[in-house]
Amino acid sequence: MNKVLQLGLQSSVINVAKFLVVPIRSLRVGSSIVGVGVGTRSVNKRLMSNATVKSIPFSINNSKGKEVLKIVGAATDQNCHQMGSDSGRAEMGTPQDDRKDIEAMTVQELRATLRKLGLPVKGRKQELISTLRLHMDSNLPDQKETTSSTRSDSVTIKRKIRNMDEPTEDDYSNSEAYGIEHGEKRVKQSTEENLKAKVSVKAISKERKSLTKTGKQQIHLKEEALSTISSELLKTEEMISSLSQSEPWTVLAHKKPQKDWKAYNPKTMRPPPLPEGTKCVKVMTWNVNGLRALLKLESFSALQLAQRENFDILCLQETKLQVKDVEEIKKTLIDGYDHSFWSCSVSKLGYSGTAIISRIKPLSVRYGTGLSGSDHDMEGRIVTAEFDSFYLINTYVPNSGDGLKRLSYRIEEWDRTLSNHIKELEKSKPVVLTGDLNCAHEEIDIFNPAGNKRSAGFTIEERQSFGANFLDKGFVDTFRKQHPGVVGYTYWGYRHGGRKTNRGWRLDYFLVSESIAADVHDSYILPDINGSDHCPIGLILKL
């Protein structure tokens, strides 16, 4: 292939409609021409078969708008031999003309040209001219070869033609019908791409439909699952509601609960029974709020209670019996509980009263505190029974009353006297103190602590006295020791129907000497037993 580099200052402009611009991708510097060219092809198939291509000048303007450089490359094809007339050769120009044009160029134009050819641009004007001439001479064929060789298709070149991604000159040498073949390839490629696009669109559409269907199925399944969950939640709520009505104590009820508190449930919180043969005593205590009224209730059966709990000793408070009623009541006692001891109020008839009913015969029994002439013993509030290994004190502590009328008496006289009585007995045997002690010692022991700060049974004075006279003197609150974070009430006032909503107080206790606290197997509450505004509580003590 013969190639000619032409440099000229012609100002002619290419008619793009008549010629096909063909840039060449490869760029070679040195012995070969820069591989960017503009060739011309006739659209007519007959002319293309003759393969006669003329070189057309393409002008490149510098930044001042003046035409500076014209590079013409000749592309020769094996099928393109005959150039034709001399007019075609004259149109191309001669090397002598090119040298004159180079000498007429300014330094800036020379550097711009060399830069576009990828040649060095440093040096004076004469050095730049020499560099450009050397480059021309190395790329021009000798005269004989120019006149006798196959006349080439001239291709006007312009470096930096828009983009370098168009077909190269080598692509043209393989086929005269490149344009048609390339066009067919493009059409075929475009058709294939369109078909692929259509298939892809159909696939996407099908996938969308499938996803939509799947989504609907998933939504349907989720709705069914939510419906099932809602149904289960409703059933659970109904069960909780039913349970809260039948067993309200299982629902935590407190105005100011701590995060680790839980409601007491005797079905789940009581320890397993002691192994058979373990020596122990089971004591129950209950403020019956009127024994005769309780026995008249059709819903209550003392026999069933005894059979169910199988207690050894039963302590009662607030029996409200008179001395004359005791013998008649003894006749109604269950067989096996042959030992009963009753203390009745004599200062106010049908008021207060305590009793111990046992199937174990005690060693001795005392009534009151034992202080001669003491007003404390006139209300029948204390019965003390001595057994082999402990003393059992059953007491009904005076209520401070409406308006706290008896508060001073309670904390300054009663609590101190009872504490001294206990400590005296403890000198010989451990003591178990039980009964209605009429004090909710801590906030966990009352539903509404803030609203009862000046209510009898929860005043700061009563609570401090409870601690100072009993707990601080070595007695242990067995229920709280066993259940430190459990809300369990033993009293619910009739006035506001507190039992239905479990809004209660813990006023009933088993306090034991510290020496036998470790022998307590279970301290429990029986909130399911009705018949009074209090419920029974129990203690199982290993002997």
Side-chain angles (χ1 to χ4, degrees), residues 262-264 444-445 479-480 486-490 505-506 525:
K262 58 184 74 173
Y264 178 71
I444 193 174
D445 298 317
F479 180 84
R480 187 55 62 213
V486 174
V487 176
Y489 303 134
T490 64
W505 305 50
R506 188 171 75 97
I525 301 172

Side-chain angles (χ1 to χ4, degrees), residues 326-473:
V326 172
E327 290 304 320
E328 185 180 351
I329 293 296
K330 282 184 177 181
K331 293 176 183 178
T332 64
L333 293 178
I334 302 167
D335 292 340
Y337 294 91
D338 300 328
H339 312 284
S340 62
F341 311 93
W342 307 79
S343 179
C344 302
S345 173
V346 294
S347 63
K348 186 176 179 181
L349 300 180
Y351 174 71
S352 184
T354 54
I356 293 177
I357 303 168
S358 174
R359 60 187 175 190
I360 304 170
K361 185 178 180 178
L363 300 177
S364 66
V365 178
R366 301 180 191 181
Y367 298 96
T369 59
L371 298 174
S372 60
S374 172
D375 293 336
H376 306 315
D377 298 337
M378 302 301 289
E379 295 181 352
R381 292 185 178 273
I382 298 177
V383 178
T384 303
E386 180 188 1
F387 295 91
D388 289 338
S389 56
F390 64 94
Y391 281 104
L392 174 63
I393 301 175
N394 175 29
T395 183
Y396 176 38
V397 174
N399 190 296
S400 296
D402 294 337
L404 304 176
K405 293 176 182 179
R406 300 189 79 183
L407 178 61
S408 296
Y409 166 73
R410 157 76 186 272
I411 62 175
E412 293 175 8
E413 297 183 45
W414 173 268
D415 286 352
R416 291 177 183 177
T417 301
L418 179 61
S419 177
N420 292 333
H421 174 59
I422 294 170
K423 294 306 288 183
E424 189 65 28
L425 294 174
E426 198 177 31
K427 289 178 182 179
S428 57
K429 289 181 183 180
V431 174
V432 175
L433 174 66
T434 187
D436 179 359
L437 304 188
N438 257 320
C439 179
H441 180 234
E442 298 175 334
E443 289 195 353
I444 193 174
D445 298 317
I446 184 171
F447 167 73
N448 184 11
N452 287 283
K453 296 220 173 185
R454 294 313 293 167
S455 296
F458 193 65
T459 62
I460 188 65
E461 295 89 344
E462 291 169 303
R463 294 163 62 195
Q464 288 176 348
S465 176
F466 185 90
N469 287 295
F470 305 111
L471 302 182
D472 293 349
K473 290 189 175 180

Side-chain angles (χ1 to χ4, degrees), residues 284 286 288 290-306 308-309 311 314 316 332 334 528-532 534 536:
M284 280 188 62
W286 189 10
V288 293
L291 182 57
R292 285 179 298 179
L294 175 65
L295 294 175
K296 290 177 182 178
L297 290 174
E298 295 181 359
S299 60
F300 174 76
S301 171
L303 179 60
Q304 289 179 356
L305 178 63
R308 181 185 118 172
E309 295 301 321
F311 50 80
L314 175 63
L316 301 177
T332 64
I334 302 167
D528 60 313
I529 297 178
N530 295 301
S532 170
H534 291 250

